[in-house]
Amino acid sequence: MVSGGAGFIGSHLCEALLANGLGVLALDNFITGSGENVKTLKGNPDFEFRQADVNQGVFLDGDVRYVLHFASPASPPQYDANPIHTLKVGTVGTMNMLGLAKAKGATFLLASTSEVYGDPLVHPQPESYWGNVNPIGPRGCYDEAKRAAEAFAMAYKRAHGVDTRIIRIFNTHGPRMQVSDGRAVPNFMAQAIRGEPITVYGDGSQTRSLCYVSDLVRGVILNLERGDELPVNLGNPHEVTVLELAETIVRLAGSKSKIEHRELPVDDPKQRQPDITRARKLLGWDPEVPLEEGLKRTLDYFRSVV
Ligand code: NAD
Ligand code: UDP
């Protein structure tokens, strides 16, 4: 069972689980996802989709082996537009998914985030770092919901012995991100393709480390098989400034777009790079798709939808 299965990462995950021979039930309320993302899976007899809000409780017949909780708005403008829903899906939604896993004796996996580190004062970020989060800023609804979600997972492990996993996903991109998603990669790609100005927030010196979606999904499945209850960072340690990212996308797109600087959002993290030592040791996982190769693949997708 994959919550958020019609989202960007969720839909790739459903595909990969089906390819591994599992039957998949995807649940989604379409708050940020789209039926288009799972259109090609709907003819597969091992795939079922149900429109459902996991904050309302989910009761299923039959056996469930894995509960993968990916439902949540993930883009800063989208969680800023839906702050209460974001808090609910991280807290109530996570509790409901853990309750389902407990009832079915299933393994539960939480899609947590590098945002639990907030604007990090330790660089790169290892899982042992507790973070630097502003609970009352505009990102608080997302960051604190995910921090509470991690606490819920640990509580169900300790109190009920549920087999739990926590992955902390760093910036991931790929086909099926919504054009209107609002994150840097979709914005820059759509702007470059349309020949519009590339909107770099602030001076663009803040950094991110971008992972291609196929690498991420491979790590998720390895963590289901080989992981334990403690968090694992999944991301590509190749770190770039946002300005470098914008310039790379313009070059790869062969675009004439010019960079225009806009106001930096409140609490925008200044630096972000995963320390993936633990994922390497525990899972034998390393990202394989280089930054430019991944960006080219994502760009091919955006060319087909913009
Ligand atoms: P996305 O917005 O494409 O996918 C999220 C999906 O969850 C959407 O389809 C949405 O409709 C669905 N959803 C939201 N609330 C729901 C609810 N109450 N009930 C049912 N469905 C609901 O975003 P994404 O980038 O694919 O992110 C997926 C997950 O990965 C999220 O939990 C996000 O926090 C996490 N994550 C993503 C990234 C990234 O870089 N993409 C980084 C860190 C963490
Ligand atoms: N960003 C930008 N222009 C945009 C969108 C985002 O400069 O049009 C910046 C944003 O301020 C942040 C970085 O790109 O510093 C990554 O933003 P994104 O929304 O992709 O994810 P975040 O890592 O902030 O959650």
Side-chain angles (χ1 to χ4, degrees):
M1 211 258 357
V2 179
S3 76
F8 154 52
I9 297 177
S11 63
H12 287 277
L13 185 59
C14 289
E15 253 174 29
L17 293 166
L18 288 163
N20 276 19
L22 292 159
V24 176
L25 170 65
L27 304 181
D28 205 296
N29 67 351
F30 295 137
I31 188 169
T32 56
S34 159
E36 279 293 301
N37 288 340
V38 287
K39 205 173 66 183
T40 57
L41 300 181
K42 283 192 175 155
N44 188 324
D46 295 326
F47 180 74
E48 188 188 341
F49 177 81
R50 285 188 213 164
Q51 187 168 347
D53 181 341
V54 299
N55 298 344
Q56 305 299 324
V58 173
F59 303 92
L60 302 174
D61 295 329
D63 293 336
V64 180
R65 187 157 152 204
Y66 300 118
V67 174
L68 299 108
H69 184 37
F70 279 71
S72 172
S75 145
Q78 286 177 337
Y79 55 71
D80 203 21
N82 301 287
I84 298 170
H85 184 90
T86 303
L87 276 160
K88 275 191 185 164
V89 76
T91 54
V92 178
T94 301
M95 189 182 73
N96 291 341
M97 296 295 90
L98 280 157
L100 177 68
K102 175 174 172 263
K104 299 290 182 184
T107 296
F108 169 87
L109 182 140
L110 172 68
S112 185
T113 167
S114 52
E115 280 284 320
V116 299
Y117 303 122
D119 189 2
L121 305 176
V122 169
H123 192 73
Q125 295 78 55
E127 290 86 350
S128 54
Y129 178 48
W130 289 358
N132 177 39
V133 170
N134 175 5
I136 58 167
R139 300 174 89 99
C141 61
Y142 182 68
D143 300 10
E144 297 295 8
K146 291 289 186 177
R147 288 166 69 95
E150 291 195 6
F152 263 114
M154 294 306 293
Y156 270 72
K157 167 78 186 173
R158 292 188 181 113
H160 295 306
V162 176
D163 186 31
T164 54
R165 308 275 188 277
I166 297 170
I167 52 162
R168 292 183 178 155
I169 304 172
F170 284 64
N171 297 64
T172 298
H173 68 97
R176 303 197 202 118
M177 294 186 99
Q178 303 281 309
V179 175
S180 60
D181 175 281
R183 282 177 274 186
V185 169
N187 276 6
F188 294 168
M189 289 195 175
Q191 291 161 349
I193 292 165
R194 292 178 179 138
E196 293 171 353
I198 308 288
T199 56
V200 168
Y201 301 158
D203 64 6
S205 63
Q206 69 274 31
T207 67
R208 293 295 186 272
S209 307
L210 292 141
C211 187
Y212 188 67
V213 65
S214 59
D215 279 331
L216 190 268
V217 164
R218 191 167 42 81
V220 173
I221 291 175
L222 281 169
N223 194 37
L224 273 182
E225 291 165 353
R226 304 181 191 168
D228 58 26
E229 74 276 18
L230 297 177
V232 183
N233 288 338
L234 290 180
N236 190 322
H238 182 153
E239 183 182 4
V240 291
T241 66
V242 168
L243 189 58
E244 282 164 351
L245 174 67
E247 288 167 347
T248 306
I249 290 173
V250 170
R251 174 169 52 78
L252 294 176
S255 169
K256 293 194 170 44
S257 291
K258 299 277 174 275
I259 308 274
E260 277 187 11
H261 293 273
R262 301 278 159 83
E263 202 177 328
L264 188 67
V266 175
D267 294 337
D268 198 286
K270 285 182 268 311
Q271 51 182 358
R272 185 181 287 159
Q273 188 204 125
D275 178 335
I276 59 166
T277 309
R278 185 167 145 75
R280 284 186 173 125
K281 281 192 191 140
L282 183 74
L283 313 177
W285 178 86
D286 234 312
E288 288 168 358
V289 182
L291 177 64
E292 288 207 10
E293 173 57 31
L295 289 174
K296 280 184 201 161
R297 292 186 202 172
T298 304
L299 196 54
D300 281 347
Y301 171 76
F302 274 89
R303 281 204 180 92
S304 72
V305 289
V306 172

Short mmCIF file of all heavy atoms in Angstrom, two decimals, residues 3-11 27-34 37 52-56 69-75 78 85 89 93 111-115 142 146 167-173 176-178 181 183, ligand 1:
data_model
loop_
_atom_site.label_atom_id
_atom_site.label_comp_id
_atom_site.label_asym_id
_atom_site.label_seq_id
_atom_site.Cartn_x
_atom_site.Cartn_y
_atom_site.Cartn_z
N SER A 3 0.66 5.31 0.12
CA SER A 3 -0.11 6.55 0.22
C SER A 3 0.63 7.63 -0.56
O SER A 3 1.86 7.65 -0.59
CB SER A 3 -0.30 6.96 1.69
OG SER A 3 0.90 7.51 2.21
N GLY A 4 -0.14 8.51 -1.22
CA GLY A 4 0.51 9.49 -2.12
C GLY A 4 0.97 8.83 -3.40
O GLY A 4 1.89 9.31 -4.06
N GLY A 5 0.31 7.72 -3.77
CA GLY A 5 0.74 6.92 -4.93
C GLY A 5 0.56 7.60 -6.27
O GLY A 5 1.16 7.18 -7.25
N ALA A 6 -0.26 8.67 -6.32
CA ALA A 6 -0.42 9.40 -7.59
C ALA A 6 0.46 10.65 -7.61
O ALA A 6 0.28 11.52 -8.46
CB ALA A 6 -1.89 9.78 -7.80
N GLY A 7 1.38 10.74 -6.67
CA GLY A 7 2.32 11.86 -6.66
C GLY A 7 3.54 11.55 -7.51
O GLY A 7 3.64 10.48 -8.14
N PHE A 8 4.48 12.48 -7.50
CA PHE A 8 5.70 12.32 -8.29
C PHE A 8 6.48 11.08 -7.84
O PHE A 8 6.60 10.09 -8.58
CB PHE A 8 6.51 13.62 -8.17
CG PHE A 8 7.99 13.48 -8.37
CD1 PHE A 8 8.52 12.84 -9.50
CD2 PHE A 8 8.88 13.97 -7.42
CE1 PHE A 8 9.89 12.70 -9.67
CE2 PHE A 8 10.25 13.83 -7.58
CZ PHE A 8 10.76 13.18 -8.69
N ILE A 9 6.99 11.05 -6.62
CA ILE A 9 7.80 9.90 -6.19
C ILE A 9 6.92 8.66 -6.04
O ILE A 9 7.29 7.56 -6.44
CB ILE A 9 8.53 10.18 -4.85
CG1 ILE A 9 9.53 11.33 -5.01
CG2 ILE A 9 9.27 8.93 -4.35
CD1 ILE A 9 10.25 11.74 -3.73
N GLY A 10 5.71 8.85 -5.48
CA GLY A 10 4.81 7.72 -5.23
C GLY A 10 4.54 6.91 -6.49
O GLY A 10 4.52 5.67 -6.46
N SER A 11 4.34 7.60 -7.62
CA SER A 11 4.01 6.87 -8.85
C SER A 11 5.22 6.07 -9.35
O SER A 11 5.06 4.94 -9.84
CB SER A 11 3.53 7.84 -9.93
OG SER A 11 4.53 8.76 -10.28
N LEU A 27 -3.12 4.86 -2.79
CA LEU A 27 -4.16 5.76 -2.29
C LEU A 27 -3.69 7.20 -2.48
O LEU A 27 -2.53 7.51 -2.22
CB LEU A 27 -4.41 5.53 -0.79
CG LEU A 27 -4.78 4.14 -0.34
CD1 LEU A 27 -5.01 4.13 1.18
CD2 LEU A 27 -6.03 3.63 -1.05
N ASP A 28 -4.61 8.07 -2.91
CA ASP A 28 -4.24 9.47 -3.09
C ASP A 28 -5.50 10.32 -3.09
O ASP A 28 -6.54 9.88 -3.58
CB ASP A 28 -3.48 9.66 -4.42
CG ASP A 28 -2.58 10.88 -4.40
OD1 ASP A 28 -3.09 12.02 -4.29
OD2 ASP A 28 -1.35 10.71 -4.46
N ASN A 29 -5.42 11.53 -2.52
CA ASN A 29 -6.57 12.44 -2.55
C ASN A 29 -6.40 13.55 -3.60
O ASN A 29 -7.23 14.46 -3.66
CB ASN A 29 -6.83 13.06 -1.17
CG ASN A 29 -5.72 14.00 -0.75
OD1 ASN A 29 -4.68 14.09 -1.40
ND2 ASN A 29 -5.93 14.71 0.35
N PHE A 30 -5.32 13.49 -4.38
CA PHE A 30 -5.05 14.43 -5.48
C PHE A 30 -4.83 15.86 -5.03
O PHE A 30 -4.98 16.77 -5.84
CB PHE A 30 -6.19 14.39 -6.53
CG PHE A 30 -6.32 13.08 -7.26
CD1 PHE A 30 -7.57 12.52 -7.50
CD2 PHE A 30 -5.19 12.40 -7.71
CE1 PHE A 30 -7.71 11.33 -8.18
CE2 PHE A 30 -5.32 11.20 -8.40
CZ PHE A 30 -6.57 10.66 -8.62
N ILE A 31 -4.47 16.08 -3.77
CA ILE A 31 -4.27 17.49 -3.36
C ILE A 31 -3.11 18.11 -4.13
O ILE A 31 -3.17 19.27 -4.52
CB ILE A 31 -4.13 17.64 -1.82
CG1 ILE A 31 -4.12 19.12 -1.43
CG2 ILE A 31 -2.90 16.96 -1.26
CD1 ILE A 31 -4.25 19.38 0.06
N THR A 32 -2.06 17.32 -4.38
CA THR A 32 -0.96 17.82 -5.22
C THR A 32 -0.60 16.83 -6.34
O THR A 32 0.23 17.14 -7.18
CB THR A 32 0.32 18.11 -4.39
OG1 THR A 32 0.68 16.92 -3.68
CG2 THR A 32 0.09 19.26 -3.41
N GLY A 33 -1.19 15.64 -6.31
CA GLY A 33 -0.88 14.63 -7.31
C GLY A 33 -1.92 14.62 -8.43
O GLY A 33 -2.82 15.46 -8.46
N SER A 34 -1.80 13.64 -9.32
CA SER A 34 -2.69 13.61 -10.48
C SER A 34 -2.88 12.18 -10.96
O SER A 34 -1.93 11.39 -10.98
CB SER A 34 -2.06 14.45 -11.60
OG SER A 34 -2.59 14.07 -12.84
N ASN A 37 -0.48 10.54 -13.45
CA ASN A 37 0.78 9.90 -13.04
C ASN A 37 0.69 8.38 -12.96
O ASN A 37 1.71 7.70 -13.03
CB ASN A 37 1.22 10.44 -11.66
CG ASN A 37 1.72 11.87 -11.74
OD1 ASN A 37 2.07 12.33 -12.81
ND2 ASN A 37 1.72 12.56 -10.61
N ALA A 52 -8.57 8.45 -1.94
CA ALA A 52 -8.86 8.43 -0.50
C ALA A 52 -7.95 9.42 0.21
O ALA A 52 -6.80 9.64 -0.19
CB ALA A 52 -8.61 7.02 0.05
N ASP A 53 -8.48 10.00 1.28
CA ASP A 53 -7.69 10.90 2.13
C ASP A 53 -7.23 10.09 3.34
O ASP A 53 -8.06 9.65 4.14
CB ASP A 53 -8.59 12.07 2.57
CG ASP A 53 -7.83 13.07 3.43
OD1 ASP A 53 -6.76 12.72 3.98
OD2 ASP A 53 -8.32 14.21 3.56
N VAL A 54 -5.94 9.88 3.45
CA VAL A 54 -5.44 8.99 4.52
C VAL A 54 -5.59 9.63 5.90
O VAL A 54 -5.44 8.94 6.92
CB VAL A 54 -3.98 8.53 4.28
CG1 VAL A 54 -3.86 7.75 2.98
CG2 VAL A 54 -2.99 9.69 4.32
N ASN A 55 -5.94 10.92 5.95
CA ASN A 55 -6.21 11.54 7.26
C ASN A 55 -7.52 11.04 7.84
O ASN A 55 -7.77 11.20 9.04
CB ASN A 55 -6.28 13.07 7.12
CG ASN A 55 -4.98 13.65 6.64
OD1 ASN A 55 -3.96 12.99 6.68
ND2 ASN A 55 -5.02 14.90 6.19
N GLN A 56 -8.37 10.45 6.99
CA GLN A 56 -9.70 9.98 7.44
C GLN A 56 -9.66 8.55 7.98
O GLN A 56 -10.69 8.02 8.37
CB GLN A 56 -10.71 10.02 6.27
CG GLN A 56 -10.84 11.36 5.59
CD GLN A 56 -11.33 12.44 6.55
OE1 GLN A 56 -12.14 12.17 7.43
NE2 GLN A 56 -10.80 13.64 6.40
N HIS A 69 4.33 5.29 3.42
CA HIS A 69 3.58 6.54 3.61
C HIS A 69 4.28 7.71 2.93
O HIS A 69 5.17 8.34 3.50
CB HIS A 69 3.41 6.79 5.11
CG HIS A 69 2.58 7.99 5.44
ND1 HIS A 69 1.48 8.37 4.71
CD2 HIS A 69 2.69 8.90 6.45
CE1 HIS A 69 0.95 9.45 5.24
NE2 HIS A 69 1.67 9.80 6.28
N PHE A 70 3.83 8.01 1.70
CA PHE A 70 4.42 9.10 0.90
C PHE A 70 3.47 10.27 0.75
O PHE A 70 3.82 11.26 0.10
CB PHE A 70 4.86 8.56 -0.48
CG PHE A 70 6.20 7.87 -0.41
CD1 PHE A 70 6.33 6.64 0.21
CD2 PHE A 70 7.34 8.47 -0.94
CE1 PHE A 70 7.58 6.03 0.33
CE2 PHE A 70 8.59 7.87 -0.85
CZ PHE A 70 8.71 6.64 -0.20
N ALA A 71 2.26 10.17 1.31
CA ALA A 71 1.30 11.26 1.15
C ALA A 71 1.75 12.47 1.94
O ALA A 71 1.98 12.38 3.15
CB ALA A 71 -0.08 10.81 1.62
N SER A 72 1.87 13.61 1.27
CA SER A 72 2.13 14.92 1.89
C SER A 72 2.47 15.90 0.78
O SER A 72 3.26 15.56 -0.11
CB SER A 72 3.32 14.87 2.86
OG SER A 72 3.64 16.20 3.28
N PRO A 73 1.91 17.12 0.86
CA PRO A 73 2.47 18.15 -0.02
C PRO A 73 3.96 18.24 0.26
O PRO A 73 4.40 18.06 1.41
CB PRO A 73 1.74 19.43 0.43
CG PRO A 73 0.47 18.93 1.05
CD PRO A 73 0.83 17.63 1.71
N ALA A 74 4.78 18.51 -0.77
CA ALA A 74 6.23 18.46 -0.60
C ALA A 74 6.93 19.72 -1.08
O ALA A 74 8.10 19.93 -0.77
CB ALA A 74 6.78 17.25 -1.35
N SER A 75 6.23 20.55 -1.83
CA SER A 75 6.85 21.75 -2.37
C SER A 75 6.53 22.94 -1.45
O SER A 75 5.38 23.08 -1.00
CB SER A 75 6.27 21.98 -3.77
OG SER A 75 6.14 23.34 -4.05
N GLN A 78 3.39 24.77 -2.07
CA GLN A 78 2.19 23.94 -1.87
C GLN A 78 1.91 23.70 -0.39
O GLN A 78 0.77 23.69 0.03
CB GLN A 78 2.32 22.62 -2.63
CG GLN A 78 2.14 22.85 -4.13
CD GLN A 78 2.33 21.60 -4.95
OE1 GLN A 78 2.98 20.66 -4.52
NE2 GLN A 78 1.79 21.60 -6.15
N HIS A 85 -3.55 21.02 6.32
CA HIS A 85 -3.54 19.69 5.72
C HIS A 85 -2.16 19.04 5.86
O HIS A 85 -2.04 17.84 6.14
CB HIS A 85 -3.94 19.75 4.24
CG HIS A 85 -4.04 18.40 3.62
ND1 HIS A 85 -5.20 17.68 3.61
CD2 HIS A 85 -3.09 17.60 3.08
CE1 HIS A 85 -4.97 16.50 3.05
NE2 HIS A 85 -3.69 16.43 2.72
N VAL A 89 -1.53 15.50 7.63
CA VAL A 89 -1.08 14.27 6.94
C VAL A 89 0.22 13.76 7.55
O VAL A 89 0.48 12.55 7.56
CB VAL A 89 -1.01 14.47 5.41
CG1 VAL A 89 0.19 15.28 4.98
CG2 VAL A 89 -1.05 13.14 4.68
N GLY A 93 -2.36 11.50 9.63
CA GLY A 93 -2.18 10.57 8.50
C GLY A 93 -1.14 9.51 8.83
O GLY A 93 -1.33 8.32 8.56
N ALA A 111 8.19 8.34 4.46
CA ALA A 111 8.95 9.27 3.61
C ALA A 111 9.16 10.54 4.41
O ALA A 111 8.33 11.45 4.40
CB ALA A 111 8.17 9.54 2.32
N SER A 112 10.26 10.60 5.16
CA SER A 112 10.61 11.83 5.86
C SER A 112 11.49 12.67 4.94
O SER A 112 11.58 12.40 3.73
CB SER A 112 11.28 11.51 7.19
OG SER A 112 11.51 12.70 7.92
N THR A 113 12.15 13.65 5.48
CA THR A 113 12.78 14.66 4.62
C THR A 113 14.01 15.28 5.25
O THR A 113 14.13 15.33 6.48
CB THR A 113 11.74 15.77 4.32
OG1 THR A 113 12.41 16.90 3.75
CG2 THR A 113 11.05 16.26 5.58
N SER A 114 14.88 15.81 4.40
CA SER A 114 16.03 16.58 4.87
C SER A 114 15.59 17.83 5.62
O SER A 114 16.39 18.45 6.32
CB SER A 114 16.89 16.99 3.67
OG SER A 114 16.09 17.61 2.69
N GLU A 115 14.31 18.22 5.44
CA GLU A 115 13.80 19.41 6.14
C GLU A 115 13.77 19.20 7.65
O GLU A 115 13.63 20.17 8.40
CB GLU A 115 12.39 19.75 5.65
CG GLU A 115 12.38 20.51 4.34
CD GLU A 115 12.76 21.98 4.47
OE1 GLU A 115 12.34 22.63 5.44
OE2 GLU A 115 13.50 22.46 3.61
N TYR A 142 5.44 21.92 7.61
CA TYR A 142 5.99 20.73 6.95
C TYR A 142 7.08 20.10 7.82
O TYR A 142 7.03 18.90 8.11
CB TYR A 142 6.57 21.15 5.60
CG TYR A 142 7.15 20.04 4.76
CD1 TYR A 142 6.35 19.06 4.20
CD2 TYR A 142 8.52 19.99 4.49
CE1 TYR A 142 6.88 18.05 3.39
CE2 TYR A 142 9.06 19.00 3.68
CZ TYR A 142 8.24 18.04 3.14
OH TYR A 142 8.77 17.05 2.35
N LYS A 146 6.79 16.45 9.76
CA LYS A 146 7.67 15.30 9.47
C LYS A 146 8.45 14.89 10.71
O LYS A 146 8.72 13.69 10.91
CB LYS A 146 8.62 15.65 8.33
CG LYS A 146 7.94 15.82 6.97
CD LYS A 146 7.45 14.50 6.38
CE LYS A 146 6.93 14.68 4.97
NZ LYS A 146 6.52 13.43 4.34
N ILE A 167 13.00 7.07 6.09
CA ILE A 167 14.02 7.59 5.16
C ILE A 167 13.90 9.11 5.12
O ILE A 167 12.81 9.67 5.12
CB ILE A 167 13.88 7.00 3.74
CG1 ILE A 167 12.45 7.16 3.22
CG2 ILE A 167 14.30 5.55 3.69
CD1 ILE A 167 12.37 7.01 1.73
N ARG A 168 15.05 9.76 5.14
CA ARG A 168 15.09 11.23 5.03
C ARG A 168 15.53 11.56 3.60
O ARG A 168 16.70 11.42 3.25
CB ARG A 168 16.05 11.83 6.05
CG ARG A 168 15.52 11.64 7.47
CD ARG A 168 16.42 12.28 8.50
NE ARG A 168 15.85 12.12 9.83
CZ ARG A 168 16.55 12.13 10.95
NH1 ARG A 168 17.87 12.31 10.92
NH2 ARG A 168 15.95 11.99 12.11
N ILE A 169 14.53 11.96 2.80
CA ILE A 169 14.76 12.19 1.37
C ILE A 169 15.30 13.60 1.17
O ILE A 169 14.72 14.57 1.69
CB ILE A 169 13.44 12.02 0.59
CG1 ILE A 169 12.82 10.64 0.85
CG2 ILE A 169 13.65 12.26 -0.90
CD1 ILE A 169 11.41 10.45 0.27
N PHE A 170 16.40 13.73 0.43
CA PHE A 170 16.93 15.02 0.02
C PHE A 170 16.39 15.34 -1.38
O PHE A 170 15.94 14.43 -2.09
CB PHE A 170 18.46 15.00 0.03
CG PHE A 170 19.05 15.07 1.44
CD1 PHE A 170 18.84 14.05 2.36
CD2 PHE A 170 19.81 16.17 1.83
CE1 PHE A 170 19.36 14.13 3.65
CE2 PHE A 170 20.33 16.25 3.11
CZ PHE A 170 20.11 15.24 4.03
N ASN A 171 16.48 16.61 -1.78
CA ASN A 171 15.86 17.08 -3.04
C ASN A 171 15.98 16.07 -4.17
O ASN A 171 17.08 15.73 -4.60
CB ASN A 171 16.52 18.39 -3.49
CG ASN A 171 16.31 19.51 -2.49
OD1 ASN A 171 16.79 19.41 -1.37
ND2 ASN A 171 15.59 20.54 -2.87
N THR A 172 14.82 15.62 -4.64
CA THR A 172 14.75 14.60 -5.69
C THR A 172 13.94 15.16 -6.87
O THR A 172 12.98 15.89 -6.65
CB THR A 172 14.09 13.33 -5.12
OG1 THR A 172 14.92 12.85 -4.07
CG2 THR A 172 13.92 12.25 -6.16
N HIS A 173 14.35 14.82 -8.08
CA HIS A 173 13.65 15.34 -9.26
C HIS A 173 13.50 14.22 -10.28
O HIS A 173 14.19 13.18 -10.20
CB HIS A 173 14.43 16.51 -9.88
CG HIS A 173 15.72 16.09 -10.48
ND1 HIS A 173 15.88 15.84 -11.83
CD2 HIS A 173 16.93 15.82 -9.91
CE1 HIS A 173 17.12 15.47 -12.06
NE2 HIS A 173 17.78 15.44 -10.91
N ARG A 176 7.27 13.57 -14.14
CA ARG A 176 6.00 13.60 -13.40
C ARG A 176 5.98 14.59 -12.25
O ARG A 176 5.00 14.63 -11.51
CB ARG A 176 5.60 12.21 -12.88
CG ARG A 176 5.49 11.19 -13.99
CD ARG A 176 4.69 9.98 -13.53
NE ARG A 176 5.04 8.87 -14.36
CZ ARG A 176 5.61 7.75 -13.92
NH1 ARG A 176 5.85 7.57 -12.64
NH2 ARG A 176 5.90 6.79 -14.76
N MET A 177 7.06 15.38 -12.06
CA MET A 177 6.88 16.53 -11.17
C MET A 177 5.89 17.44 -11.89
O MET A 177 5.96 17.59 -13.12
CB MET A 177 8.20 17.28 -10.94
CG MET A 177 9.22 16.47 -10.19
SD MET A 177 10.70 17.45 -9.80
CE MET A 177 10.38 17.91 -8.10
N GLN A 178 4.96 18.04 -11.17
CA GLN A 178 3.97 18.92 -11.80
C GLN A 178 4.66 20.20 -12.30
O GLN A 178 5.54 20.73 -11.60
CB GLN A 178 2.90 19.32 -10.78
CG GLN A 178 2.18 18.16 -10.14
CD GLN A 178 1.11 17.56 -11.03
OE1 GLN A 178 0.26 18.27 -11.54
NE2 GLN A 178 1.14 16.25 -11.21
N ASP A 181 4.42 22.81 -9.80
CA ASP A 181 4.84 22.34 -8.47
C ASP A 181 5.45 23.47 -7.62
O ASP A 181 5.24 23.54 -6.42
CB ASP A 181 5.84 21.19 -8.68
CG ASP A 181 6.46 20.66 -7.41
OD1 ASP A 181 7.38 21.30 -6.88
OD2 ASP A 181 6.00 19.61 -6.93
N ARG A 183 8.74 24.00 -7.10
CA ARG A 183 10.13 23.78 -6.65
C ARG A 183 11.10 24.23 -7.74
O ARG A 183 10.72 24.50 -8.88
CB ARG A 183 10.33 22.31 -6.28
CG ARG A 183 9.74 21.99 -4.91
CD ARG A 183 9.84 20.54 -4.52
NE ARG A 183 8.72 19.77 -5.05
CZ ARG A 183 8.48 18.49 -4.77
NH1 ARG A 183 9.30 17.83 -3.96
NH2 ARG A 183 7.43 17.86 -5.27
P1 NAD B 1 3.92 15.08 -4.57
O1 NAD B 1 3.16 16.29 -4.15
O2 NAD B 1 4.09 14.85 -6.03
O3 NAD B 1 3.27 13.76 -3.96
C1 NAD B 1 2.56 13.72 -2.75
C2 NAD B 1 1.26 12.98 -3.01
O4 NAD B 1 0.56 12.83 -1.76
C3 NAD B 1 0.33 13.72 -3.96
O5 NAD B 1 -0.11 12.86 -4.98
C4 NAD B 1 -0.83 14.15 -3.05
O6 NAD B 1 -2.05 14.30 -3.74
C5 NAD B 1 -0.83 13.05 -2.01
N1 NAD B 1 -1.47 13.39 -0.73
C6 NAD B 1 -1.24 14.47 0.07
N2 NAD B 1 -2.02 14.42 1.17
C7 NAD B 1 -2.77 13.29 1.07
C8 NAD B 1 -3.76 12.68 1.89
N3 NAD B 1 -4.16 13.23 3.05
N4 NAD B 1 -4.29 11.49 1.50
C9 NAD B 1 -3.91 10.90 0.33
N5 NAD B 1 -2.98 11.45 -0.49
C10 NAD B 1 -2.42 12.62 -0.13
O7 NAD B 1 5.34 15.16 -3.83
P2 NAD B 1 6.63 14.21 -3.93
O8 NAD B 1 7.77 15.08 -4.25
O9 NAD B 1 6.32 13.02 -4.76
O10 NAD B 1 6.79 13.78 -2.41
C11 NAD B 1 6.34 12.50 -1.94
C12 NAD B 1 6.78 12.32 -0.50
O11 NAD B 1 8.21 12.39 -0.41
C13 NAD B 1 6.24 13.38 0.46
O12 NAD B 1 5.88 12.77 1.68
C14 NAD B 1 7.41 14.31 0.65
O13 NAD B 1 7.37 14.95 1.90
C15 NAD B 1 8.59 13.35 0.55
N6 NAD B 1 9.81 14.07 0.11
C16 NAD B 1 9.98 14.43 -1.19
C17 NAD B 1 11.14 15.10 -1.56
C18 NAD B 1 11.42 15.51 -2.98
O14 NAD B 1 12.47 16.12 -3.23
N7 NAD B 1 10.62 15.19 -3.96
C19 NAD B 1 12.10 15.43 -0.59
C20 NAD B 1 11.85 15.08 0.73
C21 NAD B 1 10.71 14.37 1.07
#
